[in-house]
Amino acid sequence: MSVEQVAPRPTQNKTLLNGDEYRASLRDGRRVIDANGREIEDVTQHPALKRGIDSLASTFDDQFDPAKRDVLTYVDEETGERYGRGWKVPRTVEDLQMRRELIRYTTYETFGVFGRPPDYCPQNHLGLLTIIDKLEAQNPAWVENVHDFVKWGRENNVLSADVVADVQSDRNIPVAQKPGRLRCVEERDGGLVLYGAKPCASLAAQAHIGTIRTVLTPGADPDATLFCAVPVNAPGLTLVLREPVAELSNREDHPLGARGEEADGMLIFDHVYIPPERVFSFRRTEMQGLYHQLGALALSHVLTRLSYRAEIFAGTAQLVAEVLGTTAIPQVRDAISEITAYAATLRAFTIASEQEARMHNGVMVPADTFVTPGRLYSVEHYPRIMQLLRDMSGQGLISRFTSAQFDHDEIGAKLEEFLPGTGVSARAKNQLFNFVWDLTSSSHAMRVALFENVNSTPPAAMRHHLYQAFDRSEWTQAVREFAGVDEVKER
Ligand SMILES: Cc1cc2nc3c(=O)[nH]c(=O)nc-3n(C[C@H](O)[C@H](O)[C@H](O)COP(=O)(O)OP(=O)(O)OC[C@H]3O[C@@H](n4cnc5c(N)ncnc54)[C@H](O)[C@@H]3O)c2cc1C
């Protein structure tokens, strides 16, 4: 399969897709199996995928909106063309700040429930540039492939899924013998033939390609140490979707759910051919330890998105208290303060990581010393923040009624009479709690919570990384000297 066959081919603009072009680009013969075990003919029309695709399509359309275009896109100095800003290689702290504005936009646009919005996807591709010296030492052809891939992605407004984790199976089987592990079973015409599976792949059904990286598989054998890209419509590739969780209905009953979800699914590779130009590294087991270096831009995106989600949580807390008339209760104020502090703390981590950013192979990379502690803090406190929002809401989360019930002549009138909020009608108050339900308590909310917890490694792995990566020697020495530990040792 040639590279051209999988390019989404923008038409209205040479380098930017609009929403309809994005939808059309997904009708590419991909093989996707839904939760009913049926093959999906057109992902853009399937109930489990359509609304999520429509939400993403609106962010593609926004690239052409004069009021938003300079946040969402940029003009490249060399080519004079306009590209999605997510593809801009950050060279300065100011570039990182502009990127933060972009993340702010996509987070507020989707209320942060899409962990892989269009601006996230390029971050892992640009991550390859941050380790280009390592690839240079391995194989100069792979360096060329990376540059071509980034150029291609940028010129075609490509959307990609992260394909990293391994399928869960009996841990007693050695990693290098696991039956489901994705590995190369044949080298053909300079390319690789892959067999096995990869789990979860969020967004894959709604994206163009998957980027495969073997960075979370200690003990992987050389044939399973892969860094490459695969088009979602590659022959031999099947995507098996999990059951949908977003509560669709209408915007009044499910303000968040109605906008769809990011679908997760398992990718089954049955002898999928990866052409040589899409291989970035293979059989180089030393690459397995590069998770944090390779993913630095993506991980900082995760932190930044959560910092804006935290603002949304604080805004929600304030509105719940105002609508219930509980703002004067000291304990309610304490809860709002705690959520506000969560938001401010995540913002501080984000800004500090930008200020302490360093150049890696010509790419300005936010400081891991703030990104990882910030991410750890964000996921450790996330369940508590959700619980505070639920607690503040009281019966509001359950004493909710549908728009059909409000439209009922007799019952609707009674609901309006009995349930008014502070300064708002019963129906408006009801709609707020529909939103809070979607945000904190629905199946979709739990899927997002699970995503936040393990997306880019679970807390245990973050703590492990922090222990190893953080240099505490100066602090330790200061304590050693102050406490006279060396003197005690010598005596
Ligand atoms: C909603 C959702 C979306 C996801 N999307 C993607 C995606 O787009 N792309 C992708 O690649 N992956 C994705 N994942 C998968 C995610 O990357 C993994 O779940 C995560 O890396 C943990 O790996 P695992 O599930 O295989 O856990 P396992 O290795 O099976 O471990 C299970 C649990 O055991 C504990 N544990 C295991 N090993 C250790 C250890 N060494 N130290 C301490 N505790 C340990 C942890 O609590 C861990 O969560 C997604 C997961 C979810 C839930």
Side-chain angles (χ1 to χ4, degrees), residues 116 120 161-169 171 198-204 211 213 216 242 262-265 291 446-461 464:
R116 311 264 188 257
Y120 169 85
D162 284 6
V163 183
V164 180
D166 298 296
V167 285
Q168 257 176 347
S169 61
R171 284 180 94 97
K198 282 285 192 185
C200 302
S202 305
L203 197 80
T211 42
R213 288 169 291 138
L216 287 179
R242 64 157 165 77
E262 179 175 81
D264 313 297
Y291 180 77
M446 183 46 82
R447 180 267 164 195
V448 175
L450 293 173
F451 177 86
E452 301 296 13
N453 189 53
V454 299
N455 168 41
S456 31
T457 72
H464 178 67

Side-chain angles (χ1 to χ4, degrees), residues 363-377:
V363 184
M364 188 58 87
V365 176
D368 177 46
T369 44
F370 287 105
V371 171
T372 302
R375 286 195 310 114
L376 180 60
Y377 182 88

Side-chain angles (χ1 to χ4, degrees), residues 247 386 390 397 436-446:
E247 290 167 295
M386 291 295 107
R390 283 191 288 262
L397 289 174
V436 182
W437 171 264
D438 282 5
L439 188 72
T440 65
S441 310
S442 65
S443 301
H444 185 216
M446 183 46 82

Side-chain angles (χ1 to χ4, degrees), residues 53-73:
I53 288 170
D54 289 343
S55 290
L56 291 164
S58 90
T59 67
F60 277 99
D61 277 334
D62 284 349
Q63 297 183 121
F64 298 89
D65 179 340
K68 297 171 183 165
R69 150 181 117 151
D70 289 334
V71 173
L72 291 172
T73 65

Side-chain angles (χ1 to χ4, degrees), residues 67-109:
K68 297 171 183 165
R69 150 181 117 151
D70 289 334
V71 173
L72 291 172
T73 65
Y74 75 104
V75 176
D76 185 76
E77 282 171 13
E78 268 177 41
T79 65
E81 294 289 350
R82 198 173 269 282
Y83 303 106
R85 184 174 289 282
W87 288 97
K88 184 169 177 23
V89 179
R91 308 278 187 206
T92 62
V93 169
E94 289 70 39
D95 286 343
L96 292 174
Q97 288 165 344
M98 286 299 291
R99 196 182 73 127
R100 172 150 48 89
E101 275 308 300
L102 171 65
I103 300 171
R104 181 180 193 284
Y105 163 82
T106 50
T107 306
Y108 274 91
E109 187 64 18

